[in-house]
Structures are given as structure tokens and as C-alpha cells.
Amino acid sequence: MAKTLSLIVPVFNEQEAIDASFARMYAAMSALPYAFEIIYVNDGSRDSTMAHLRAIAGGNGNVRVISFSRNFGHQLAVTAGMDEARGDALIVIDADLQDPPEVIGELVKAWENGADIAYGKRLKREGETFLKKFTAHCYYRLLNAMSAYPIPLDTGDFRLLDRKVADVFLKMREHNRFLRGMSGWMGFNAVPVEYVRHERVAGSTKYTLKKMLRLAFDGILGFSYRPLTAAGGTGVALMGLSLLGFVALAVIAATVGAAPWLWGLCGLVLFDGLILAAMGVQGAYLNRIYDEVRGRPLYVVAEKINSKDKE
Ligand code: UDP
Ligand code: MG
């Protein structure tokens, strides 16, 4: 059977961009030698986006639309599209043509050459403010330094996932989702495809500062324990420091004499250290609870040989 590609497009208030973007996406998908479906996820748009989607789906049997009851956010919209997709490979793309649909062909080529994940890597970002580019640049580097798993630099959610990767994704039901981090957590053969990120074709960004900050925190809290364990390390360091202080004070007191408040100061540092260390211990338990509650798969299998599993 011929393979099918699923293109997943999250949309939120994209009435100005949707028609132009559909035309380019449809052309790009039609140029590939695969059957395809385009899945739009309307993330609670309050403009005429849904009317546009009805018209598009009315005229094209391979366009499907899922419409949320309200705005649940980009990451959940993409997830709903993945739940719905039936393809052998899933491609996630923004609706505003910032990710050029023509690059889909290159993602597919990487997949044909054996990539399980082909992710768009931004060589250049056009038409975005200096502040956005600068904060994104710093954030990805900070995240990568903090994360226990590699999260490729300068990548967004524009990527292709093979069906077996998508199936693992679908098992990860965590509420606070950071898809590009989850992709890094899963491993697999991930291949970068470089592209220039263009200016938005129409309308303005739907990622408000609040949404962006939330996503940034989801990335750090979802993939690093450091914020939780940092207090413990600081506490132990403070306790060590205070003990050194006590020894030094004992020597000084025995020779030239020390002011009594210095003992108090050392005692204060010691108890602050103790409290922070105790918080670190609580943090360690919290880590474990967090791991259990999220219920991620315990491990991810890429391949089995001579497996006795039923197909
Ligand atoms: N989007 C969404 N829900 C939201 C915010 C954004 O589905 O709450 C969609 C949006 O329509 C677009 C994609 O996610 O297709 C990326 O959003 P946007 O282009 O506004 O973000 P930016 O490129 O400015 O970071
Ligand atoms: Mg955009």
C-alpha cells in the first residue's frame, strides 16, 4: 500500500493567513508521491477562521478539521492533530507560512533516507524582533544546559515524525507539554533539516508574551530537575561554610578573641543551610512523584529482532 503523510496545522485566529497558507501547503503536498491528509486543529479561534476551514474542507476530501471548544494552546492543538492523524509520517507546521511548505519535501526526503524524526533547524529568522530572536537564542541554550536530554538548538515544532515515533508521543499524556523536548527525550534517529524561517504571511503572532513564558517554563520544568535540586546543593554548601566559620572563629577566639555576634552569624548560616538542605530532600521526593504522576513510558524501543510479539 502506498504510504500516507499527515500534515498537522494548528490554527488560532488565522483568518488573514489561512487561505494563502492552505494553497501553498496543498501544492507542496500534492507535489510529493504520497497520499496525504491535512488536519487543521482550530484552537478556539474567535475570528472567521472556522468559516474558512469549513469552506476548505468542503472542497477537499483529504482536509479534516478538529475544532476545540476554546483556546487550549498551540501544544495541545498539535497533540490533538497527532491523535487524529492516520499517516505513516506526521508533519507539524505553523499556519502562517513561517515554516515554508516547500521544506516539507526535504523533511520527507530525510525520512525516506531513514530518519525517524526530521526536524527543521532555523538557519535564520526573518521578520522577527531582535528581542524575540535574542531571548529565543539564550533560552534554547539555557534549556539545553539544564536538560538531562539533548534538545536541539534553534528548532521549533516544524518537524516530521515517523509513525513509530508518533505512537510513542501518543502514549505521553502529560498536561504541560513541550513537544520539542519530548521529542528529545524519546531519542530515535533525529536528523536536522536546515531552513530559513520567513516572515509571517499575514496577521500577527498568536504567541502572546504570557503564552511564550508558559512554554518556556514548561520546557524547563518538564525536562530539568535542577530548579528543584538547586536549593539542596546551596543548603549543603552553606552548612559547610558555617562549619568552616566555626573552626576559624574557635581559633580566633582562642588567640585574639572574637566578638560574640560572630558566633550568632555562623549559627544563622548553619540553620539557613539546614533549612535549604531539607527543602532539597523534599525536592528529591517531589522529583519522584512528578515522574510517577506523568506516567511517561518507562523506555522506548526503536527496533526488535526476532521478537515474539504478535504483529
Ligand atoms: N497557535 C495555536 N494556538 C495558540 C497560539 C498559536 O494553535 O494558542 C498556532 C498559530 O495559529 C500558528 C502556530 O500556532 O499556526 C504558531 O503560532 P504563531 O505563529 O503565532 O507563533 P510565532 O511564530 O509568532 O512564535
Ligand atoms: Mg508564526
Side-chain angles (χ1 to χ4, degrees):
M1 258 244 318
K3 292 193 166 176
T4 302
L5 303 175
S6 301
L7 187 68
I8 297 164
V9 196
V11 281
F12 176 53
N13 294 344
E14 297 286 5
Q15 62 182 14
E16 296 93 355
I18 193 95
D19 290 332
S21 108
F22 170 70
R24 283 237 329 254
M25 287 180 193
Y26 200 87
M29 294 305 283
S30 303
L32 301 172
Y34 294 97
F36 68 90
E37 57 180 7
I38 299 183
I39 300 175
Y40 280 102
V41 185
N42 173 29
D43 185 11
S45 297
R46 290 182 283 270
D47 63 359
S48 67
T49 296
M50 196 53 199
H52 286 257
L53 289 179
R54 272 187 226 284
I56 292 171
N60 296 281
N62 55 352
V63 173
R64 292 197 278 139
V65 179
I66 305 169
S67 189
F68 282 174
S69 58
R70 65 167 170 84
N71 181 246
F72 279 86
H74 171 241
Q75 301 282 298
L76 290 172
V78 172
T79 304
M82 289 167 86
D83 284 339
E84 188 76 8
R86 310 223 185 95
D88 300 283
L90 278 53
I91 302 145
V92 178
I93 192 168
D94 286 355
D96 58 2
L97 294 178
Q98 282 201 281
D99 311 323
E102 295 68 31
V103 178
I104 294 172
E106 292 177 45
L107 297 178
V108 170
K109 214 167 279 161
W111 175 59
E112 289 166 344
N113 291 333
D116 299 316
I117 301 172
Y119 58 91
K121 186 170 167 63
R122 301 156 178 173
L123 276 182
K124 228 171 89 186
R125 300 163 73 119
E126 289 171 348
E128 286 178 311
T129 60
F130 169 77
L131 190 69
K132 175 142 186 173
K133 285 195 261 197
F134 179 72
T135 49
H137 180 91
C138 297
Y139 174 71
Y140 283 117
R141 275 145 191 87
L142 172 74
L143 179 63
N144 212 38
M146 287 178 78
S147 165
Y149 321 99
I151 297 174
L153 299 174
D154 306 321
T155 64
D157 291 318
F158 181 37
R159 60 186 60 222
L160 176 150
L161 307 177
D162 182 75
R163 167 51 61 188
K164 67 176 178 225
V165 178
D167 284 343
V168 179
F169 243 110
L170 300 187
K171 284 195 194 135
M172 298 169 83
R173 303 314 287 182
E174 54 209 69
H175 283 242
N176 300 296
R177 301 170 80 75
F178 185 68
L179 300 175
R180 52 204 89 154
M182 290 157 70
S183 193
W185 178 87
M186 284 193 285
F188 285 112
N189 175 26
V191 173
V193 171
E194 294 180 335
Y195 76 106
V196 175
R197 188 159 160 91
H198 292 296
E199 209 169 325
R200 190 176 236 287
V201 65
S204 56
T205 180
K206 306 299 178 282
Y207 253 97
T208 52
L209 184 64
K210 197 171 140 203
K211 282 184 181 170
M212 195 108 74
L213 281 175
R214 205 194 130 87
L215 185 68
F217 276 110
D218 282 345
I220 290 178
L221 298 182
F223 293 90
S224 174
Y225 293 132
R226 298 229 182 136
L228 264 181
T229 49
T234 312
V236 171
L238 280 184
M239 281 161 67
L241 193 72
S242 73
L243 291 180
L244 279 180
F246 275 123
V247 174
L249 260 184
V251 174
I252 296 170
T255 50
V256 288
W261 63 269
L262 281 171
W263 293 100
L265 183 70
C266 280
L268 211 64
V269 174
L270 177 68
F271 280 102
D272 282 345
L274 259 175
I275 291 168
L276 279 174
M279 286 173 70
V281 173
Q282 290 187 0
Y285 282 100
L286 258 182
N287 279 346
R288 283 163 178 70
I289 296 171
Y290 189 30
D291 269 344
E292 299 295 342
V293 171
R294 265 193 306 205
R296 283 187 189 167
L298 297 180
Y299 52 83
V300 178
V301 175
E303 191 181 342
K304 289 185 184 179
I305 294 179
N306 290 342
S307 157
K308 301 285 186 230
D309 289 355
K310 288 194 205 87
E311 278 297 302

